[in-house]
Amino acid sequence: MYTSCTGIWQTVWLEPVPPVSIQEIKLVPDIDRNRLKVTGWVSQPAANLTVQAAAYDQGDLVGTVSGAAGQELHLRMHNPKLWSPKTPFLYDLTIVLKQGDTVIDQVDSYFGMRKMSVGTVDGVLKMLLNNEFVFQ
């Protein structure tokens, strides 16, 4: 039996952001194509905006991509380390918003390369992790 609770469960802080800033990011791992789909939306439209994303494996750069804000970008990764319960590896991610050559905002995050799907194993429909059946 779980008791209900409300409130904040992690550290919270406020920080100032410029008028044009990164408002939201969407990260979708695509292990079948060895890439991370990255979309960065901004708080308001402005001229000459570019979103740049860089993925790191323990400080080593493993992939970069840049393009227009609000556009789905494909960050290619050579032989990515897949996340699983046995190897819960997470990549670090830095997303930078530029106007021309000037950095106007930056977000640091992380992601795991993993895929949940449904497939047939020995004639039975089962949940798959990274295209493989994992006994639950």
Side-chain angles (χ1 to χ4, degrees):
M1 180 74 161
Y2 292 99
T3 59
S4 60
C5 66
T6 61
I8 297 170
W9 62 277
Q10 283 188 330
T11 304
V12 175
W13 68 91
L14 296 174
E15 62 184 62
V17 295
V20 178
S21 59
I22 299 169
Q23 180 175 344
E24 181 180 348
I25 60 171
K26 180 179 178 182
L27 308 174
V28 180
D30 184 352
I31 69 164
D32 297 323
R33 292 182 180 87
N34 292 332
R35 66 186 185 183
L36 176 71
K37 298 176 188 176
V38 180
T39 308
W41 289 278
V42 294
S43 57
Q44 62 183 341
N48 204 19
L49 292 179
T50 304
V51 172
Q52 295 179 335
Y56 298 90
D57 175 350
Q58 299 178 1
D60 295 328
L61 183 66
V62 294
T64 62
V65 67
S66 65
Q71 172 186 341
E72 183 179 274
L73 307 174
H74 299 151
L75 193 153
R76 302 244 174 241
M77 303 180 68
H78 177 69
N79 197 23
K81 295 178 182 177
L82 299 184
W83 182 98
S84 74
K86 289 183 181 179
T87 55
F89 182 81
L90 297 174
Y91 288 93
D92 293 315
L93 182 71
T94 299
I95 299 175
V96 174
L97 178 63
K98 287 185 167 185
Q99 190 164 32
D101 292 329
T102 305
V103 174
I104 58 174
D105 198 12
Q106 177 176 321
V107 172
D108 294 315
S109 189
Y110 57 88
F111 66 95
M113 289 296 289
R114 51 86 182 114
K115 174 185 175 183
M116 293 296 301
S117 59
V118 177
T120 304
V121 177
D122 298 328
V124 179
L125 198 61
K126 297 188 178 197
M127 288 193 62
L128 306 178
L129 172 64
N130 300 331
N131 297 323
E132 295 180 6
F133 172 67
V134 178
F135 183 74
Q136 303 296 312

